Amino acid sequence: MQPKYALQASAHRRTEAAILEGTKELIARSGIAGLSMIEIADHSEVSRATLYNHFRDKDAVLLALVTSEIQRLVTAAASAGTPADALEFLSREISSDPALQAMREHDAQLLVTILTRSENPLYLVLARCIYEHVKTEAGTGLAMRWLLGQVAQPISAQQSREQAELLVERTLF
């Protein structure tokens, strides 16, 4: 039998996951600019009180969503076979993300602002992940700029593979 608080923590995580998933779906439809806490609550199928129990405002929801997405990418990249596999995975995920696509269309200036904030701790989390694969600072910097470029200008799956292999070949040897 699980303790009472373990069940509450599990329910809390499920509710938070539903809110973040609903938020990402809304962003993929029409970007961030017009997004409201009411829409997030309605789309996530939680009450407004529940939403505010988890997040104080829209910025807190967005920060949690970005944190969750970065953690997902880092975890998946960590299990990739080769450095090129890890970079290809990150490239494909970034280039095909529907929420980023909507932000390119509806929130371009906000996206530029986000991309220029390299002091953000999440930027460093992703950079450390890449460093674990390429093992050089120069390779890490180059890979980060390559991936950030794809947020603004996505590439195809084939280009992801070719460029990842080239990047690893040129930075590791």
Side-chain angles (χ1 to χ4, degrees), residues 105-163:
E105 293 173 17
H106 304 287
D107 304 301
Q109 188 55 46
L110 176 61
L111 200 52
V112 168
T113 301
I114 292 168
L115 293 176
T116 58
R117 299 248 165 95
S118 62
E119 73 278 359
N120 187 310
L122 295 172
Y123 183 94
L124 297 176
V125 168
L126 187 57
R128 280 189 211 103
C129 168
I130 292 170
Y131 182 83
E132 289 300 314
H133 291 285
V134 299
K135 304 291 188 210
T136 69
E137 288 183 27
T140 300
L142 188 58
M144 286 295 290
R145 285 187 277 295
W146 174 64
L147 291 169
L148 289 173
Q150 291 172 53
V151 171
Q153 184 65 45
I155 62 177
S156 70
Q158 179 66 31
Q159 290 170 318
S160 291
R161 184 66 198 176
E162 291 168 356
Q163 291 179 17

Side-chain angles (χ1 to χ4, degrees), residues 12-63:
H12 180 85
R13 284 190 301 276
R14 282 192 311 273
T15 301
E16 204 164 275
I19 292 167
L20 297 179
E21 183 178 321
T23 301
K24 186 170 181 179
E25 289 171 4
L26 287 170
I27 292 170
R29 286 185 191 168
S30 57
I32 292 174
L35 189 61
S36 72
M37 291 293 274
I38 294 170
E39 284 179 293
I40 293 170
D42 291 347
H43 190 75
S44 303
E45 298 180 357
V46 299
S47 70
R48 292 176 194 160
T50 297
L51 177 59
Y52 280 104
N53 282 332
H54 286 266
F55 302 101
R56 74 180 177 284
D57 57 22
K58 181 172 87 169
D59 289 341
V61 176
L62 296 174
L63 178 60

